[in-house]
Amino acid sequence: MNSLNFISPQDVKDIINRKDDNYMLIDIRDEYEFNDWNIKGSVNVPINKYIASGEADEAKSALSSLNLNKKLIIICMRGTNSQLAASLLDEMRYDAYVMTKGMQGWNENFDIHEIPLKSAKNKQFTVVQFIRIGKGCLSYIVFDEYSKESAIIDPSIFIEEYINYINEHNLKPKYIIDTHAHADHFSGGKALEKTLNVGYYVNKNDMDKGVKINNINDNSDMRLGNMQIALHNTPGHTDGSFSLLIGDMALFCGDLLLPESVGRPDLARNQQETIKGAEKLYNTINSFILKLDNEILVFPAHYTSIEKRPVTLTIEELKKYNDSLTISGKQEFIGFITSKMPKTPPNFQTIKKFNKSGTIIPLDYAEDLEIGPNRCSSR
Ligand SMILES: [Fe+2]
């Protein structure tokens, strides 16, 4: 057997972005796993079961119809069974590549977009959007162009992404902020606080009692350089959710409002609390979101299907794009949000427990528990 060829998730991302049709993405996981979460454009050839049971002939037979002229990128959940599949393909004279760490590696893959903005008072600032493409999570660095003071918002556990950016751009980190206690991914907030020696801010309603955090609410005073950050309590998705309005034109709203929907109000809540959460969402949207200027750009913490990059829409665009904003009656809204709730995120109780207690989780453990799609959206 020849030695195997490996390809990183980052290189796979580049192949997809440049629409390179010399390659074909073959996902060998079971059909239900593929249907639940996959890389757009990949093809499912579910031979995992044959590989696991040592049925090489069955696996080869399922693979034999693949195009010999393509370079095949083999994907499994963690990058192990794909190595066995690639060696079978090698015997069959295919040109096969193993995607390193499989879907787990895909889960840790980021696209970075820089959005330079100018406030009404002519202050220049930049929003840097970190798109975790495998999971649909969005996190941010915002910095004032003049002072280089910066805030990191909703950071993932992969804190090197932010630290590298900060170092490369000579930024001065001033705040690390979670808009709420996340349920579908571990927060990198506490680890960044320790590494950068910068305060971690979150609303205490979302944290366990006694955890050492800087409480943030609508009375907090935050600024980057001379630019004030306006803070708003925006409960619904969680009780402690809040939003930040920067430069009067960029709203960071966590999971309050996503491009396609609103943040689900049911996680870690019983049925009655879920309905109350949906009611709070309705009130927040009507008393806050719908009163904002139409030109304000909304930077959410998640997306599901939107293809626009960077992932941001104006309030005006959201009013057209997002069905949740077109419902005028409270009861109708609650029914709409709570009637068809998607599956809960895998391991959300463990993830939330860590985030609420401000515990820094070892990266290996976090990677394993976080595997799977984002499910913070109510639709
Ligand atoms: Fe969330």
Side-chain angles (χ1 to χ4, degrees):
M1 186 184 93
N2 294 327
S3 61
L4 293 174
N5 299 312
F6 287 86
I7 188 164
S8 70
Q10 288 75 15
D11 287 342
V12 173
K13 180 186 77 181
D14 293 342
I15 286 166
I16 294 169
N17 285 348
R18 67 172 186 263
K19 298 186 171 59
D20 188 337
D21 63 4
N22 291 309
Y23 292 84
M24 200 170 164
L25 272 59
I26 308 297
D27 190 320
I28 63 164
R29 294 174 301 152
D30 290 346
E31 212 179 321
Y32 77 92
E33 292 175 308
F34 177 82
N35 290 339
D36 192 40
W37 182 41
N38 59 57
I39 302 176
K40 201 171 173 201
S42 60
V43 174
N44 187 212
V45 184
I47 59 162
N48 223 0
K49 51 184 181 270
Y50 301 133
I51 287 178
S53 58
E55 295 173 88
D57 288 345
E58 297 288 344
K60 277 185 174 177
S61 153
L63 292 166
S64 61
S65 59
L66 294 173
N67 188 339
L68 262 170
N69 298 319
K70 299 271 186 187
K71 295 171 195 275
L72 304 179
I73 297 173
I74 313 303
I75 300 155
C76 66
M77 192 60 104
R78 291 181 174 80
T80 45
N81 281 358
S82 50
Q83 296 182 33
L84 295 166
S87 68
L88 292 179
L89 285 162
D90 192 51
E91 284 170 31
M92 296 161 74
R93 302 189 178 282
Y94 281 97
D95 192 4
Y97 297 76
V98 175
M99 189 169 90
T100 317
K101 290 175 79 178
M103 289 305 281
Q104 181 174 311
W106 188 248
N107 214 4
E108 297 159 17
N109 211 346
F110 288 83
D111 249 352
I112 299 176
H113 293 265
E114 291 168 329
I115 308 123
L117 294 169
K118 204 183 257 186
S119 76
K121 290 180 184 155
N122 239 5
K123 298 200 169 69
Q124 292 190 342
F125 65 107
T126 296
V127 174
V128 189
Q129 185 177 59
F130 293 75
I131 306 179
R132 194 170 165 191
I133 52 176
K135 209 165 169 64
C137 291
L138 303 167
S139 52
Y140 300 91
I141 292 178
V142 192
F143 65 92
D144 165 48
E145 284 289 348
Y146 179 70
S147 67
K148 300 290 179 194
E149 285 187 348
S150 58
I152 307 171
I153 303 173
D154 288 327
S156 76
I157 194 77
F158 303 99
I159 62 172
E160 293 303 320
E161 293 285 333
Y162 315 102
I163 294 172
N164 290 342
Y165 190 93
I166 281 169
N167 290 340
E168 280 163 20
H169 294 80
N170 294 320
L171 302 183
K172 296 176 192 154
K174 191 172 178 190
Y175 308 108
I176 299 155
I177 303 164
D178 267 330
T179 54
H180 63 290
H182 303 281
D184 68 318
H185 67 92
F186 292 99
S187 167
K190 276 285 183 183
L192 278 167
E193 177 182 54
K194 196 172 162 193
T195 310
L196 296 174
N197 200 20
V198 171
Y200 170 62
Y201 294 76
V202 64
N203 185 273
K204 66 177 185 197
N205 288 337
D206 271 13
M207 302 297 280
D208 288 341
K209 278 201 174 75
V211 181
K212 258 184 109 181
I213 47 113
N214 298 285
N215 184 34
I216 188 173
N217 54 37
D218 46 10
N219 292 319
S220 309
D221 180 32
M222 281 185 154
R223 54 185 70 229
L224 297 174
N226 291 324
M227 195 166 55
Q228 181 85 31
I229 303 177
L231 297 153
H232 301 269
N233 291 325
T234 48
H237 175 58
T238 65
D239 285 345
S241 291
F242 67 89
S243 301
L244 304 96
L245 187 57
I246 300 184
D248 292 329
M249 63 176 310
L251 178 75
F252 299 85
C253 62
D255 290 350
L256 164 66
L257 184 58
L258 314 180
E260 304 87 352
S261 182
V262 290
R264 60 192 299 168
D266 63 318
L267 294 176
R269 284 174 168 157
N270 62 31
Q271 204 188 354
Q272 224 177 356
E273 290 165 344
T274 298
I275 289 169
K276 264 196 184 150
E279 191 176 349
K280 283 181 189 169
L281 269 175
Y282 177 85
N283 292 338
T284 299
I285 285 168
N286 281 277
S287 64
F288 176 59
I289 292 288
L290 295 178
K291 295 200 169 145
L292 289 169
D293 288 349
N294 273 333
E295 300 74 40
I296 288 173
L297 278 170
V298 176
F299 293 97
H302 288 297
Y303 67 98
T304 47
S305 54
I306 190 168
E307 297 203 354
K308 184 176 179 277
R309 299 292 178 272
V311 184
T312 182
L313 293 172
T314 63
I315 293 283
E316 186 171 25
E317 288 168 328
L318 277 162
K319 284 176 185 168
K320 291 180 195 143
Y321 192 80
N322 186 326
D323 289 346
S324 318
L325 297 183
T326 60
I327 302 169
S328 52
K330 189 184 278 191
Q331 290 314 319
E332 197 189 335
F333 178 89
I334 293 170
F336 179 76
I337 296 302
T338 56
S339 60
K340 272 197 240 153
M341 212 72 82
K343 280 197 267 179
T344 52
N347 304 310
F348 80 92
Q349 274 145 329
T350 313
I351 292 173
K352 192 127 191 176
K353 207 165 115 186
F354 269 90
N355 287 340
K356 278 166 75 87
S357 64
T359 312
I360 299 174
I361 184 168
L363 199 54
D364 285 1
Y365 186 43
E367 282 176 314
D368 208 48
L369 284 170
E370 278 194 357
I371 209 159
N374 152 249
R375 293 205 181 94
C376 255
S377 166
S378 66
R379 295 254 142 186

